[in-house]
């Protein structure tokens, strides 16, 4: 099993450009998450999904959109990139756990630089 | 709202010395608590977790953590640190669907 994979690993954008980050998991997990990691701020939740076709806002959703058309994939979109979105983005997934919070498994991250 | 505080931004210990990383949380109910480790350029790996039951939790790589409800703490410990333990450590508290992470503690190990 590959676990959680993220594409691309690194990307440079100019302000105003758009892009989509892809997260894929092969563990048949119901829940998927997108986080951003900035120095001194830990990981902050952007959006998450509790199942195929569902999405919800996290702590810092502004400027991002997500889609979960297939259970195994969770896409994060930046419609008009801004320098403030320079960050490392992590995807994670977990079982639904019957109401209990299960362990989240993380991908290797995508490093995004917006000029 | 739930929150996590890791008061130590950076800690340096000698190889072979003991380690304790502090974590305090704020949450209205019985929390789910986690410790993750992140090596440079890598994703996060779970060290251990607490859901209920025994308040002393054993994890991988020789780490353990103790849940103290009265102090709202979940400190991570290791009796003897190895050079390979140098990394950033994150404490997290969660509900049924979301985790809130602390800001992390960077551990440096001197030989």
């Amino acid at each position: 099993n590959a676990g959680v994979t993220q594409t691309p690993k690194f990307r440079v954008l100019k302000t105003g450009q758009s892009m989509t980050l892809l997260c894929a998991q092969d563990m048949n997990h119901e829940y998927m998450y997108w986080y951003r990691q900035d120095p001194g701020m830990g990981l902050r939740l952007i959006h998450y999904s509790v199942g195929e076709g569902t999405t919800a806002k996290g702590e810092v959703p502004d400027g991002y959109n997500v889609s979960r058309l297939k259970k195994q994939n969770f896409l994060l979109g930046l419609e008009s990139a801004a320098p403030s979105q320079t960050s490392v983005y992590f995807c994670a997934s977990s079982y639904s756990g019957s109401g209990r919070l299960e362990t989240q498994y993380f991908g290797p991250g995508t490093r995004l630089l917006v000029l | 709202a739930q929150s996590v505080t890791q008061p130590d931004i950076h800690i340096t210990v000698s190889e072979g010395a003991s380690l304790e990383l502090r974590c305090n949380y704020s949450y209205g109910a019985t929390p789910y608590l986690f410790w993750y480790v992140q090596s440079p350029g890598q994703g996060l790996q779970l060290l251990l977790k607490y859901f209920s039951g025994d308040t002393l939790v054993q994890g991988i790589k020789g780490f353990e953590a103790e849940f103290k409800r009265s102090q709202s703490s979940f400190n991570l410990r290791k009796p003897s640190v190895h050079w390979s333990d140098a990394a950033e450590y994150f404490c997290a508290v969660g509900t049924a669907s979301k985790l809130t992470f602390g800001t992390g503690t960077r551990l440096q190990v001197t030989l």
Side-chain angles (χ1 to χ4, degrees):
Chain A
N1 289 350
V4 180
T5 58
Q6 293 183 232
T7 308
K9 289 184 170 55
F10 177 70
R11 184 76 182 268
V12 179
L13 288 179
K14 295 181 179 179
T15 297
Q17 287 184 319
S18 63
M19 78 164 294
T20 300
L21 282 66
L22 171 63
C23 176
Q25 53 93 4
D26 61 2
M27 296 175 282
N28 201 34
H29 286 167
E30 287 291 335
Y31 290 5
M32 296 187 75
Y33 309 82
W34 275 107
Y35 295 90
R36 60 177 290 172
Q37 183 179 32
D38 303 292
M41 302 190 75
L43 277 78
R44 293 180 292 169
L45 183 64
I46 304 171
H47 286 281
Y48 65 103
S49 168
V50 299
E52 183 178 324
T54 72
T55 63
K57 294 181 180 180
E59 182 185 353
V60 288
D62 294 342
Y64 305 95
N65 57 74
V66 288
S67 64
R68 183 96 181 269
L69 298 180
K70 294 183 178 180
K71 184 177 183 179
Q72 63 268 35
N73 295 338
F74 195 31
L75 278 62
L76 177 71
L78 287 72
E79 290 186 348
S80 179
S84 61
Q85 294 178 303
T86 293
S87 188
V88 181
Y89 292 86
F90 287 99
C91 177
S93 69
S94 70
Y95 291 109
S96 61
S98 299
R100 187 181 75 172
L101 184 64
E102 295 291 343
T103 300
Q104 292 186 16
Y105 295 85
F106 284 80
T110 294
R111 192 171 295 272
L112 176 64
L113 175 62
V114 182
L115 301 174
Chain B
Q2 61 205 44
S3 66
V4 179
T5 301
Q6 293 181 249
D8 303 306
I9 295 172
H10 184 243
I11 285 181
T12 300
V13 299
S14 300
E15 188 174 40
S18 63
L19 171 70
E20 183 169 24
L21 301 182
R22 296 184 290 166
C23 173
N24 293 97
Y25 67 89
S26 173
Y27 186 62
T30 300
Y32 301 121
L33 295 162
F34 301 77
W35 275 101
Y36 282 86
V37 61
Q38 183 181 32
S39 298
Q42 303 296 313
L44 278 71
Q45 181 185 21
L46 179 71
L47 283 176
L48 49 79
K49 60 187 178 184
Y50 171 79
F51 286 165
S52 63
D54 193 345
T55 56
L56 185 61
V57 181
Q58 301 297 322
I60 63 171
K61 304 184 180 184
F63 285 92
E64 66 178 26
E66 186 171 11
F67 170 56
K68 293 185 177 180
R69 185 187 300 275
S70 61
Q71 299 178 18
S72 296
S73 70
F74 189 57
N75 293 349
L76 182 70
R77 301 193 294 249
K78 187 170 185 178
S80 178
V81 170
H82 188 263
W83 64 266
S84 60
D85 293 324
E88 188 150 22
Y89 292 80
F90 292 94
C91 181
V93 62
T95 64
S97 60
K98 292 189 290 183
L99 274 180
T100 298
F101 285 85
T103 52
T105 297
R106 183 167 298 278
L107 174 66
Q108 183 177 356
V109 180
T110 58
L111 301 176

